[in-house]
Amino acid sequence: SHAAPALWRGRLAAEMHPAARRFRSSFAEDLALVDTDIDVGEAHVLELARGRLFSRRELARVLRAYEAARRDARRILSRPSAATAFHDVHPVVERLVIARCGEDVGGRVHLGKSRNDQVATDICVFARRGARATAAGAAGLQRALLGFALTNATEVVPAYTHGRAAQPTYAGHWALAWFDAASRDAARLLAAATRLNRCPLGAAAVAGTSVPLDRARTAALLGFDGVWDNALDATGARDHVLELLAALAIFQHTLSRLAADVIALSSEDAGVLSYPDAFADTSSAMPQKKNPDPLELVRARAGTVAGDLSGALAIVHGLGGGYSRDLQELKVLLWRSLATVRESAEVTALVVAGLGVRPGRGAAIVRRGFATAMDLADRLSLERGVPFRRAHFAVGRLVRTLAAEDRTFADASAAEASRLLSDAAGRPVLLDERTWRDWTDAAARTAARRTAGGPGDLPNQFARARRHLDEQHARLRALAVREERARKLLRAAVARSIKPT
């Protein structure tokens, strides 16, 4: 009984073919937009009523019909027949309103707006909330990383370049590196949310409307900071959606890289991190296996989200001004990316919260990989006056000699090292045993790197991380409160208008 009538097909002599209806339908992804679309519709008719385009009685009838549609639209869109009956959520809601109010009243709800500005507004509201929720997911990952960092602050682990042990650092320093990366992701998501927070409603089809509307009042009811300035831009632009997709793709890229790090550091070969059993699977054939399946999927889905961004850019790249049906295809990409990144952030945070560090394993890798070699070259230059390039060569020669004999710095004596290390004049650098051990000790050399951002600077980094989380929490909380305040404002306005006088 709710099949879409040909209310706007006066220009066309034939009904749309069922195959064409099915092909252009976006009802599957529009299920997520039902409540948002009704909120936008209610805000619009409240403004129409302020302009005396609905009487109080008519407004009450329309708003009751919208609330009934809130219950019924999702059920109708879930039917298999919806694909040929409707092309998206908007005609479903409008038809339900007309069915309850009659065409004389319900047929006026579309006055002063178009599907073009309504869908643009729906997407802004939905994406704004999604951006904030994903930024909150980034903050959750940051909290897990900071907790791990504080618990394992000064456990020595190798830092890698080119997949090889490079320098010793602390587990806390490693975790704070990912904390900072996630911090930038949260900032990008919140910046995207800011640009999503202008209301297109009232821009109508492409060039505005002569219907008297105060767009700013409608925008306030929907929690926007203000309105989109230019009607043509408001209906056709999707750069704000592309920006959010880019922020999502970059965040998923961070999650993928972190996942790769955890997988490598918790492998049997490295054994630096202990991986939580609750986020592992085993093999159907090999009883010994402990596989980090969830993180492997986090890593893989970076490709999915990057593909969504690439697809979105391809969709919009050749479009001129104003709305084109091509833009409908962005919704499924955005919806999927938001869901993928939120789920990936959640599972990654849970894995990090369950990680442990195996004492001594990181230091053993540092010894095997001669990871204090750069520190040794620095000491020769700073304390014995050896030019750094000569010191670099001499230490490299020492490493080559020891590695050929399957030995480490710890296996060599100070006297042996002195014979192989030379100063600017080519003379041996005389080292006593205590100096030799200090210059090659992973814990001592890691603590000595106190420049800003280094592992010896951890107390300052911890303090900064705590401050950042507090500030970020306050910002996210303020956005959530603002969103809830706008929701209550709209609900109160609806309730007052429905209530009999």
Side-chain angles (χ1 to χ4, degrees), residues 154-157 167-171 173 366 372 375 441-450 454-457:
T154 56
E155 183 69 33
V156 171
V157 298
Q167 280 188 284
T169 190
Y170 293 137
H173 189 242
V366 167
T372 55
D375 296 281
D441 178 72
R445 292 304 97 214
T446 302
R449 281 183 252 117
R450 299 187 184 91
D457 181 49

Side-chain angles (χ1 to χ4, degrees), residues 32-77:
L33 279 181
V34 170
D35 287 328
T36 302
D37 192 75
I38 290 170
D39 287 346
V40 171
E42 288 180 335
H44 182 69
V45 297
L46 283 165
E47 180 56 31
L48 290 176
R50 288 190 188 99
R52 302 185 183 280
L53 297 169
F54 285 102
S55 68
R56 287 186 179 181
R57 187 182 298 275
E58 289 170 338
L59 176 62
R61 286 172 61 194
V62 168
L63 292 173
R64 289 193 194 99
Y66 268 119
E67 289 305 303
R70 200 183 293 276
R71 298 190 299 270
D72 297 338
R74 192 173 282 103
R75 172 177 51 80
I76 292 169
L77 283 166

Side-chain angles (χ1 to χ4, degrees), residues 342-356:
R342 281 201 301 266
E343 291 168 2
S344 296
E346 179 184 18
V347 76
T348 305
L350 291 168
V351 169
V352 169
L355 288 176

